[in-house]
Amino acid sequence: MLHMILFLSRSVVRSLIKNDAIEMEKAEVYQYGFEILFSSIITFLIAVLSGILLHCFTASMLFFIIFATFRQICGGYHAKHYWSCNLLFLGVISAVLVVYRFFPTDRFTTMHYIFLLVSLLIICIYAPVENENKPLSAEQVLLFRKISRIIVASLTMISCLINIFHNPYVKLIDSTLLAISISILVVGLEERRECNEKCKEEHSEGCCKSRCEKC
């Protein structure tokens, strides 16, 4: 898969250079952009196939929309390679859709509140988290934090409302939020660990919270 993405990206960039559509100096930038594009297409196809195989296409598309929206705003864990990233996505969407398809809705009440509480706490505390390839400015952090809280609060209210009627989509929303929050938590904890280590190096007495805003 990695070789295929690289091959397609390089082929498209070579074609654009050959037709004078882009400059040679910007080839690497465009190649990286096409790699992201093709990887995103593969991710979407994984969502489509998962929905078809598990007979819940609409649920898989809803998962993809929520997941992709949060990833753009909040960030989250990124695997080092495209194939491992897509494999991880396959595992996550499969787990969420299995819960949606096969777990009894009338027995989901306790998990409903646990999933929502955990997701709310993690997203409100840690989101957004930065990607090394997509650093955020202070203004973007504040904006994305506000947007992420609005979205998770809205989805929480929707989930609680449809839970009253034992709608099976409550399982999908709750499981998707939990998966997203775990992805954010992994990066958030890593960022905090790196910040603490950096503070220890800069301040002999450990991390000075008054001087280290991120900590």
Side-chain angles (χ1 to χ4, degrees):
M1 186 178 294
L2 174 60
H3 292 300
M4 181 183 70
I5 291 174
L6 291 174
F7 173 77
L8 289 173
S9 301
R10 289 169 181 167
S11 298
V12 173
V13 171
R14 288 195 193 103
S15 178
L16 291 173
I17 293 174
K18 186 177 180 180
N19 290 282
D20 297 323
I22 63 173
E23 300 175 0
M24 178 68 76
E25 293 76 13
K26 297 181 179 179
E28 290 187 5
V29 175
Y30 279 94
Q31 181 174 321
Y32 177 73
F34 281 113
E35 287 176 15
I36 298 298
L37 174 62
F38 290 131
S39 180
S40 299
I41 291 173
I42 292 173
T43 301
F44 177 73
L45 292 177
I46 289 173
V48 171
L49 291 174
S50 298
I52 293 173
L53 292 174
L54 290 170
H55 305 288
C56 48
F57 179 76
T58 303
S60 69
M61 291 297 96
L62 181 58
F63 168 87
F64 182 82
I65 292 170
I66 297 174
F67 190 85
T69 301
F70 266 100
R71 292 285 285 188
Q72 288 295 318
I73 296 171
C74 301
Y77 177 75
H78 284 270
K80 294 182 179 180
H81 306 288
Y82 292 118
W83 66 267
S84 55
C85 186
N86 286 313
L87 187 62
L88 180 62
F89 178 78
L90 175 61
V92 171
I93 190 172
S94 297
V96 170
L97 293 182
V98 165
V99 171
Y100 167 77
R101 264 298 262 123
F102 302 108
F103 197 92
T105 305
D106 56 354
R107 298 182 183 177
F108 192 74
T109 303
T110 301
M111 295 174 65
H112 162 70
Y113 293 111
I114 293 174
F115 281 19
L116 284 184
L117 179 61
V118 172
S119 301
L120 273 169
L121 288 174
I122 293 175
I123 292 173
C124 289
I125 292 172
Y126 288 100
V129 291
E130 291 187 83
N131 182 300
E132 58 182 7
N133 296 317
K134 188 182 177 181
L136 301 174
S137 65
E139 291 78 12
Q140 287 177 317
V141 169
L142 292 175
L143 176 62
F144 290 162
R145 181 176 297 160
K146 182 178 180 180
I147 294 174
S148 65
R149 290 177 177 179
I150 291 173
I151 295 176
V152 73
S154 300
L155 288 174
T156 297
M157 287 189 289
I158 292 172
S159 178
C160 289
L161 179 61
I162 65 176
N163 184 56
I164 297 173
F165 304 100
H166 300 287
N167 188 303
Y169 278 100
V170 68
K171 297 177 292 184
L172 180 78
I173 295 174
D174 294 357
S175 300
T176 302
L177 287 178
L178 182 65
I180 291 167
S181 64
I182 291 173
S183 174
I184 292 171
L185 179 63
V186 170
V187 181
L189 291 176
E190 180 63 21
E191 285 184 351
R192 181 160 294 185
R193 184 188 65 80
E194 291 177 356
C195 181
N196 288 336
E197 289 180 356
K198 184 177 180 181
C199 287
K200 288 178 182 179
E201 292 177 359
E202 294 178 353
H203 313 301
S204 59
E205 296 182 357
C207 178
C208 178
K209 292 185 180 180
S210 63
R211 289 182 285 177
C212 182
E213 187 180 65
K214 195 164 189 177
C215 290

